Amino acid sequence: MIRILFADDHAIVRNGLKQIFAGNPDMVVAGEASNGSDVLEMARKLEFDVLLLDLTMPGVSGLDLIRRLRADNPSIPILVLSMHNESQVVSRALKAGASGYVTKDSDQEILLLAIRKVASGNKFIDPALLDAIMNIGSNGDAPPHALLSDRELQVLQMLASGQTPTGIAESLHLSAKTISTHKANLMQKLGIDSNADLVRYAIKQGLTQA
């Protein structure tokens, strides 16, 4: 029996996942969370075999959350289930410690296969992402945002999704000054000098959040 702890800030997604798991006799829900803080707490208290994790949630999220989970439990199988299919995002999640990565537009069978794979100690990448991942670093046409730090990339995604620097600061538990510094740095690296161009770039690159 595969015990699954899953986290997503959208109730409709969580309900859909519970229905999927209920239809598979080898899977059972160990717990569900809607934000990063709850994930960290549940991961310490609950017995589970796989953590199914959305990258974008209130509070601690994304790569920071994966790293903190890994620090607490190096052997925990973490399967990312995300709307993001951009190769740089996928690559960074895997480098941060994710055991696998599946996009939310994948077939249900792909998700179930991924859960079973990581539960057994293997890695799994959504087949639709393999070509993009394999091509990272194999040519000279890496996108400009490949130069961003993990935090700068996260701030870019949140800004492009309509969040204000103040809101981002509160969500990430950082100062507004720190977020403004990240914004200035990432805009300089991207060669962008306006918020409108920043949003257009993020949309074009598939970096906006749901």
Side-chain angles (χ1 to χ4, degrees), residues 129-152:
L129 302 172
L130 284 176
D131 286 344
I133 294 298
M134 293 298 291
N135 287 334
I136 291 179
S138 64
N139 51 50
D141 60 356
H145 61 270
L147 299 174
L148 303 182
S149 68
D150 291 341
R151 180 66 80 189
E152 288 167 350

Side-chain angles (χ1 to χ4, degrees), residues 42-86:
M42 291 182 177
R44 297 186 185 106
K45 295 180 178 180
L46 299 179
E47 295 288 338
F48 61 96
D49 302 301
V50 173
L51 170 59
L52 185 62
L53 184 68
D54 183 22
L55 280 182
T56 309
M57 294 183 294
V60 184
S61 66
L63 306 182
D64 282 347
L65 181 54
I66 293 175
R67 293 193 184 99
R68 290 179 62 173
L69 288 163
R70 275 273 173 258
D72 289 343
N73 187 345
S75 63
I76 179 177
I78 302 173
L79 176 62
V80 173
L81 178 63
S82 174
M83 62 163 285
H84 294 297
N85 59 7
E86 207 277 333

Side-chain angles (χ1 to χ4, degrees), residues 182-195 198:
H182 285 314
K183 179 183 178 183
N185 290 339
L186 72 89
M187 292 181 75
Q188 181 179 25
K189 290 180 180 180
L190 296 177
I192 291 174
D193 56 13
S194 74
N195 290 332
L198 186 71

Side-chain angles (χ1 to χ4, degrees), residues 89-125:
V89 176
V90 179
S91 178
R92 290 176 190 233
L94 297 174
K95 289 178 180 178
S99 305
Y101 198 109
V102 177
T103 62
K104 287 184 176 179
D105 59 358
S106 295
D107 291 337
Q108 176 178 316
E109 290 73 18
I110 295 295
L111 174 60
L112 295 174
L113 175 61
I115 291 173
R116 294 182 177 111
K117 283 285 188 180
V118 299
S120 61
N122 297 306
K123 303 288 186 180
F124 186 92
I125 305 297

